[in-house]
Amino acid sequence: KLRNEVKLLDADAKGLMLTYQTQAELQRQIRDDESATIAQRVAANDELGRILDEQLEKETELAQKKVDLAQLESDLNADNIDLQIALKEAKTELIDINERIIGQESEQMTNQVALGKELLESQNELSLIELLQLQVLLLILMQQSQGN
């Protein structure tokens, strides 16, 4: 029963991975679009993080079932070298999933920090503009008061 479940899940795995990769790439495009607002870009980056977390969970779940099946079959026939190799390959696939998605999450977190800095710079720029406007207004008022 577990073998059939793993076969069915494995058949869907490539499509699942490509679906998540497409969703993630769409969010990266929004995040990296400098014509979008900072709020839109931050929201896209947050959604990217959610997609990557979900992808890691789903792909890990499938890979763990493969490990469980390979472990069960290897335990039942410990002398079978092919089953031992299948177990090692299943464990390696699990490690590969973690490495691949964690690498993408690192990129997402780096961009989260960069967007935060960009937001702060924008706020500082606005504060400077407001300060300059107040100074101009003050100069105008001073000139008007000296003229009276």
Side-chain angles (χ1 to χ4, degrees):
K1 181 181 174 185
L2 180 60
R3 180 179 295 125
N4 289 339
E5 181 183 356
V6 168
K7 283 181 181 180
L8 288 172
L9 289 171
D10 200 30
D12 293 334
K14 183 76 170 174
L16 179 71
M17 182 179 74
L18 292 174
T19 298
Y20 280 117
Q21 286 177 346
T22 300
Q23 290 174 356
E25 185 55 34
L26 289 172
Q27 294 307 311
R28 281 187 195 94
Q29 289 174 8
I30 295 168
R31 179 202 61 205
D32 296 342
D33 179 3
E34 292 186 4
S35 69
T37 67
I38 297 263
Q40 291 169 324
R41 296 172 67 202
V42 167
N45 198 57
D46 290 344
E47 178 62 9
L48 173 60
R50 187 201 63 75
I51 289 167
L52 293 173
D53 287 343
E54 187 176 308
Q55 180 181 11
L56 179 62
E57 179 185 329
K58 297 291 183 184
E59 287 190 36
T60 298
E61 184 180 306
L62 170 61
Q64 186 58 55
K65 286 187 180 194
K66 287 181 175 180
V67 169
D68 294 345
L69 174 63
Q71 184 69 62
L72 180 65
E73 289 179 335
S74 181
D75 288 348
L76 292 174
N77 193 350
D79 295 333
N80 186 322
I81 192 73
D82 291 331
L83 294 176
Q84 292 174 25
I85 291 170
L87 177 58
K88 289 178 186 282
E89 288 173 347
K91 288 179 178 179
T92 300
E93 183 179 347
L94 192 57
I95 292 167
D96 179 58
I97 289 167
N98 281 305
E99 187 280 327
R100 176 173 44 86
I101 296 177
I102 287 172
Q104 292 174 15
E105 286 177 329
S106 293
E107 177 258 351
Q108 183 262 341
M109 287 185 276
T110 297
N111 278 285
Q112 186 173 14
V113 171
L115 286 169
K117 286 180 181 178
E118 193 174 325
L119 179 60
L120 185 59
E121 288 171 6
S122 294
Q123 289 170 337
N124 288 341
E125 246 178 68
L126 287 175
S127 296
L128 182 59
I129 290 169
E130 290 170 351
L131 182 61
L132 290 172
Q133 288 173 339
L134 286 173
Q135 287 176 337
V136 167
L137 182 59
L138 182 60
L139 285 172
I140 291 170
L141 289 174
M142 287 173 58
Q143 286 176 350
Q144 287 176 350
S145 70
Q146 289 175 354
N148 289 338

